[in-house]
């Protein structure tokens, strides 16, 4: 059998295929996805689930003239393959390679950059309104996952779109929550019928005719809703002003192509409910779609082989990640204090809360992809005497900034933010990097901001934060630390106090957080003093002034943007006290850093030992 995939480099070529050839193309795409992602790592289950949907979209719509907006974006590998990036898939999520998410700078087919969820409907609506203003017949399509529908922004957009009555198609890719199950051939038949021009014409004509007979019109509407309600769960979306169609089988290409073709001819807001299966077509992923959601390199035949984590005599991981340190602390702290409740916005596994959710199910809350709600929910619990701990990625915390200020900080409520993925995150790139939290946290009144330098300090600072009755944040990076095994005993550290780790002369390096290791390495080369500052707010003013009096050059090191970061706080401290020391601020540059190996990216930013020494020597020749 001749390969179809190898002949397709653009959707224009795809649209020349006969419909009968599309299932073969889907099979080839699945095989290619498994082989490709097994070599690079990436998101697999979700992409296997959207193969047919992606084919049908590009087959029916005139892309890139018609706009496709994907949400959250990690389900777009088939889209990339069909739009000229098949060969580039070998560079997926690598430095200089293609992104794991849609990227406007990468391809004209990527209509909108998406990596955080619940944004697609708003963006597609903007594009639909632009087309209307232009007098264009261009289509705008938002493809949103069921998990992303838990984000309030999606419903804000639905509400606005229904009221505007603009030509817009929202496709709900229901692949996990199973909002409702497809009911087979009869349901597909009704989907084709309700998306067809005849049904729409009859519906419009009937409404026009019956407007003069209000009681009959109302009866007709109720009857239609009753009939549709027997086969669809679309009442909610109909109330938003959308014409609801579905649910349909997202792996039935014939139904997909027919239904999308019909919908393309309709005006006004349309909502298509498509049910797909994560991991479709690859047995290992079908059996455990969560394990194959985000993968590293693996053998396609054997699948992912999970290796047992080495344990110490106490049954803990012998070298835990920062995430595991948090997870263990959360369980230990919950055992000591019944006021503790754990909250996560849909990141139970990623934030290390699985064990806690099993041990304390009554005190565990996954609120879905709803970061704003997560923080205000925590604020409500705190008002009633509980001590909420919100486990959240740095990049996702950005989405709840107003709630942090308005609902937590102004009321000075005891909410602990356990901020994971602080700093660079490697292959996920700029959209997932935690580059800004020190900057946007330290300017908020009532906040205490901590940056542990190692695994044990992370555990102790989390404990310290929990003892306070004010808003606190403990930020830590992805992956492993330097290998300092956390002590079982927990002890609160003095608030706003750092420590000197190495005495030297001439130069003092003030390290904030996980870059203490490179700072100490650099100090050994140039005989510098090194302080582990621990706290970004309140800052250890006494230590800063002492180091300023004893050294000509002060150097701040942080895995955060230099703009407004910890180094800026040191500069302000020196200025307020009339200190005239030369200050060198090292951190992430004022730019968005693309994907790559995290260690190499830090080195490129001059934040490894070699880079720190080079910057110091350039500033003050030694």
């Amino acid at each position: 059998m001749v390969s179809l995939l190898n002949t397709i480099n653009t959707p224009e070529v795809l649209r020349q295929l006969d419909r009968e050839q599309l299932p073969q193309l889907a099979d080839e795409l699945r095989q290619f996805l498994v082989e490709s992602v097994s070599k690079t790592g990436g998101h697999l289950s979700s992409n296997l689930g959207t193969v047919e949907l992606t084919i049908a979209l590009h087959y029916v719509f005139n892309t890139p003239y018609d706009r496709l907006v994907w949400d959250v974006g990690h389900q777009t590998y088939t889209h990339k393959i069909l739009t000229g990036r098949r060969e580039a898939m070998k560079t997926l999520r690598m430095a200089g390679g293609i992104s794991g998410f849609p990227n406007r700078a990468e391809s004209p087919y990527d209509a909108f950059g998406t990596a955080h969820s619940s944004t697609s409907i708003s963006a597609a609506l903007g594009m639909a309104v632009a087309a209307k203003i232009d007098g264009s017949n261009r289509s705008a399509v938002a493809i949103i996952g069921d998990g992303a529908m838990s984000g309030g922004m999606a419903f804000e957009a639905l509400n606005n779109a229904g009221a505007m009555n603009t030509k817009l198609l929202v496709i709900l890719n229901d692949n996990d929550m199973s909002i409702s199950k497809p009911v087979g051939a009869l349901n597909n038949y009704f989907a084709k019928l309700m998306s067809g021009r005849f049904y729409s014409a009859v519906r419009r004509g009937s409404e026009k005719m019956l407007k003069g007979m209000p009681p009959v019109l109302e009866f007709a509407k109720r009857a239609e809703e009753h009939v549709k309600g027997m086969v669809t769960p679309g009442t909610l979306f109909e109330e938003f002003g959308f014409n609801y169609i579905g649910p349909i089988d997202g792996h039935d290409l014939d139904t997909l192509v027919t239904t999308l073709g019909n919908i393309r001819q309709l005006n006004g807001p349309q909502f298509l409910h498509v049910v797909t299966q994560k991991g479709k077509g690859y047995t290992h992923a079908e059996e455990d779609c969560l394990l194959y959601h985000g993968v590293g390199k693996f053998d396609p035949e054997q699948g992912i082989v999970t290796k047992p984590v080495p344990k110490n005599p106490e049954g803990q991981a012998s070298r835990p990640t920062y995430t595991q340190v948090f997870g263990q602390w959360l369980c230990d702290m919950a055992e000591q204090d019944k006021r503790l409740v754990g909250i996560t916005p849909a990141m139970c596994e990623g934030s290390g809360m699985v064990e806690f959710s099993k041990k304390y199910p009554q005190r565990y809350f996954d609120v879905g992809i709803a970061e704003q709600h997560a923080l205000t929910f925590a604020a409500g619990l705190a008002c009633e005497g509980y001590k909420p701990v919100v486990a959240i990625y740095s990049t996702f915390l950005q989405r709840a900034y107003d709630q942090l200020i308005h609902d937590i900080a102004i009321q000075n409520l005891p909410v602990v933010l356990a901020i994971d993925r602080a700093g660079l995150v490697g292959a996920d790139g700029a959209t997932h990097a935690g580059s800004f939290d020190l900057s946007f946290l330290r300017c908020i009144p009532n906040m205490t901001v901590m940056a542990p330098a190692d695994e044990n300090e992370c555990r102790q600072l989390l404990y310290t934060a929990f003892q306070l009755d004010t808003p606190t944040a403990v930020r830590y990076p992805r992956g492993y630390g330097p290998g300092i095994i956390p002590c079982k005993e927990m002890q609160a550290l003095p608030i706003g106090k750092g420590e000197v780790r190495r005495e030297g002369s001439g130069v003092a390096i003030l390290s904030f957080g996980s870059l203490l290791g490179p700072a100490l390495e650099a100090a050994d080369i140039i005989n510098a003093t090194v302080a582990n500052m621990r706290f970004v707010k309140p800052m250890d003013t006494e230590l800063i002034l002492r180091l300023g009096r004893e050294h000509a050059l002060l150097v701040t090191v942080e895995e955060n943007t230099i703009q407004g970061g910890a180094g800026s706080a040191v500069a302000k401290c020196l200025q307020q006290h009339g200190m005239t020391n030369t200050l060198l601020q090292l951190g992430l540059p004022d730019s968005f850093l693309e994907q790559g190996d995290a260690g190499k990216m830090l080195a490129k930013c001059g934040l490894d030992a070699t880079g720190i020494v080079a910057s110091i020597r350039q500033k003050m020749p030694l």
Side-chain angles (χ1 to χ4, degrees):
M1 185 179 294
V2 177
S3 171
L4 294 176
L5 182 58
N6 290 337
T7 67
I8 297 174
N9 289 312
T10 65
E12 287 82 355
V13 178
L14 168 65
R15 290 190 278 270
Q16 294 172 14
L17 295 179
D18 294 330
R19 282 175 64 159
E20 292 74 19
Q21 295 177 287
L22 298 183
Q24 178 189 334
L25 177 62
D27 291 340
E28 292 181 22
L29 276 163
R30 279 203 171 82
Q31 183 177 352
F32 181 88
L33 279 169
V34 172
E35 291 291 336
S36 178
V37 176
S38 72
K39 293 181 175 64
T40 63
H43 292 95
L44 185 59
S45 292
S46 55
N47 282 287
L48 291 170
T50 56
V51 169
E52 287 87 359
L53 177 58
T54 309
I55 291 172
L57 283 166
H58 282 293
Y59 192 76
V60 171
F61 289 94
N62 182 26
T63 55
Y65 176 73
D66 291 330
R67 312 298 199 221
L68 303 182
V69 181
W70 297 86
D71 194 334
V72 294
H74 61 237
Q75 57 183 332
T76 54
Y77 293 3
T78 296
H79 163 78
K80 288 175 180 280
I81 294 165
L82 294 175
T83 54
R85 288 167 278 182
R86 183 177 69 250
E87 290 301 315
M89 285 292 290
K90 64 184 67 170
T91 68
L92 182 71
R93 294 158 39 95
M94 299 177 186
I98 62 173
S99 170
F101 304 96
N103 186 333
R104 279 170 51 83
E106 190 177 289
S107 170
Y109 291 93
D110 292 359
F112 196 78
T114 48
H116 286 185
S117 77
S118 314
T119 62
S120 60
I121 304 175
S122 297
L125 177 60
M127 295 172 183
V129 170
K132 184 176 181 179
I133 295 172
D134 293 342
S136 165
N137 65 348
R138 186 172 62 240
S139 296
V141 184
I143 306 100
I144 184 168
D146 54 84
M149 285 298 295
S150 64
M153 187 175 175
F155 285 90
E156 293 174 23
L158 284 173
N159 182 57
N160 192 214
M164 296 177 77
N165 198 32
T166 303
K167 182 177 181 179
L168 170 71
L169 171 58
V170 175
I171 298 176
L172 171 60
N173 175 28
D174 180 0
N175 63 14
D176 193 16
M177 290 168 61
S178 295
I179 293 172
S180 67
K181 296 180 180 180
V183 292
L186 178 63
N187 193 71
N188 287 338
Y189 167 74
F190 269 97
K192 291 179 183 179
L193 174 66
M194 288 187 291
S195 67
R197 300 178 75 174
F198 173 75
Y199 172 84
S200 297
V202 170
R203 191 171 188 259
R204 289 194 303 271
S206 300
E207 287 181 356
K208 184 176 181 181
M209 180 183 69
L210 295 174
K211 276 184 178 178
M213 299 177 284
V216 180
L217 174 61
E218 181 63 24
F219 173 78
K221 285 184 175 179
R222 288 178 181 273
E224 179 190 42
E225 288 176 3
H226 177 69
V227 172
K228 291 177 72 174
M230 290 190 298
V231 292
T232 73
T235 304
L236 171 65
F237 303 108
E238 294 276 6
E239 291 298 325
F240 273 115
F242 281 75
N243 177 39
Y244 174 89
I245 301 161
I248 66 174
D249 183 352
H251 302 297
D252 183 337
L253 273 162
D254 184 62
T255 296
L256 282 169
V257 170
T258 299
T259 304
L260 288 171
N262 289 337
I263 292 174
R264 193 181 181 207
Q265 308 305 315
L266 303 180
N267 292 316
Q270 309 294 322
F271 193 100
L272 176 62
H273 184 172
V274 175
V275 178
T276 61
Q277 179 185 0
K278 280 187 175 182
K280 175 73 173 177
Y282 181 53
T283 303
H284 295 299
E286 287 182 349
E287 292 174 350
D288 192 345
C289 63
L290 183 60
L291 178 63
Y292 286 83
H293 170 71
V295 301
K297 298 178 182 180
F298 66 95
D299 183 334
E301 294 294 329
Q302 191 175 16
I304 297 173
V305 178
T306 55
K307 298 179 181 178
V309 178
K311 301 288 183 70
N312 61 22
E314 296 180 345
Q316 300 172 336
S318 58
R319 192 193 174 196
T321 64
Y322 280 103
T323 302
Q324 290 169 334
V325 169
F326 164 74
Q328 184 62 54
W329 169 82
L330 191 65
C331 291
D332 294 344
M333 195 71 247
E335 185 178 357
Q336 290 188 21
D337 196 325
K338 297 187 184 304
R339 296 175 300 162
L340 184 150
V341 291
I343 302 169
T344 179
M347 295 305 298
C348 179
E349 292 80 12
S351 292
M353 298 183 75
V354 174
E355 189 65 25
F356 175 81
S357 70
K358 294 176 181 177
K359 283 187 174 182
Y360 303 99
Q362 300 303 314
R363 289 193 271 162
Y364 165 74
F365 301 95
D366 183 344
V367 300
I369 303 176
E371 294 88 357
Q372 294 171 313
H373 165 59
L375 265 65
T376 304
F377 173 57
L381 281 161
C383 285
E384 299 301 319
Y386 284 88
K387 299 286 292 273
V389 177
V390 181
I392 190 167
Y393 288 10
S394 173
T395 184
F396 299 149
L397 178 59
Q398 295 163 187
R399 313 188 84 192
Y401 193 52
D402 179 65
Q403 287 69 28
L404 175 56
I405 295 173
H406 189 275
D407 300 331
I408 294 176
I410 288 178
Q411 302 185 93
N412 203 24
L413 295 172
V415 176
V416 176
L417 301 176
I419 305 175
D420 205 328
R421 269 63 166 182
L424 299 179
V425 293
D428 282 334
T431 57
H432 283 61
S435 304
F436 311 109
D437 55 80
L438 293 184
S439 300
F440 69 67
L441 288 172
R442 58 171 286 262
C443 64
I444 302 175
N446 293 333
M447 285 294 303
T448 299
V449 184
M450 313 179 196
D454 57 48
E455 300 92 330
N456 181 56
E457 197 164 85
C458 183
R459 179 175 171 88
Q460 306 310 326
L461 285 178
L462 283 165
Y463 179 79
T464 304
F466 193 78
Q467 305 313 306
L468 299 178
D469 287 321
T470 55
T472 57
V474 181
R475 60 104 70 171
Y476 44 90
R478 180 180 189 176
Y480 292 98
I484 308 299
I485 303 303
C487 297
K488 181 71 175 175
E489 181 183 353
M490 294 185 284
Q491 183 177 7
L493 300 177
I495 302 298
K497 293 296 180 182
E499 61 171 357
V500 174
R501 284 288 190 94
R502 185 189 191 280
E503 293 283 2
S505 62
V507 177
I509 303 174
L510 286 66
S511 176
F512 295 87
S514 59
L515 294 181
L516 178 63
L520 287 168
E521 289 181 45
D524 286 340
I525 297 172
I526 59 175
N527 190 29
T529 296
V530 176
N532 172 28
M533 297 302 292
R534 287 180 175 159
F535 289 82
V536 175
K537 186 181 184 181
M539 195 78 72
D540 191 340
T541 301
E542 183 180 337
L543 179 56
I544 293 171
L545 297 180
R546 179 172 77 80
L547 294 174
R549 288 191 296 270
E550 297 173 357
H551 301 82
L553 174 65
L554 298 185
V555 183
T556 60
V557 180
E558 59 189 306
E559 195 172 342
N560 183 85
T561 182
I562 296 174
Q563 303 285 88
S568 295
V570 173
K572 180 181 178 182
C573 176
L574 293 172
Q575 187 221 12
Q576 286 179 332
H577 290 83
M579 303 286 287
T580 58
N581 298 74
T582 300
L583 177 64
L584 172 62
Q585 298 179 47
L586 300 180
L588 302 180
D590 186 22
S591 61
F592 291 107
L593 301 172
E594 296 304 324
Q595 73 271 5
D597 177 82
K600 292 179 180 178
M601 293 171 73
L602 281 173
K604 188 175 181 180
C605 294
L607 295 176
D608 61 348
T610 301
I612 293 171
V613 169
S615 295
I616 291 173
R617 284 176 169 163
Q618 185 177 7
K619 192 74 174 180
M620 190 180 83
L622 302 173

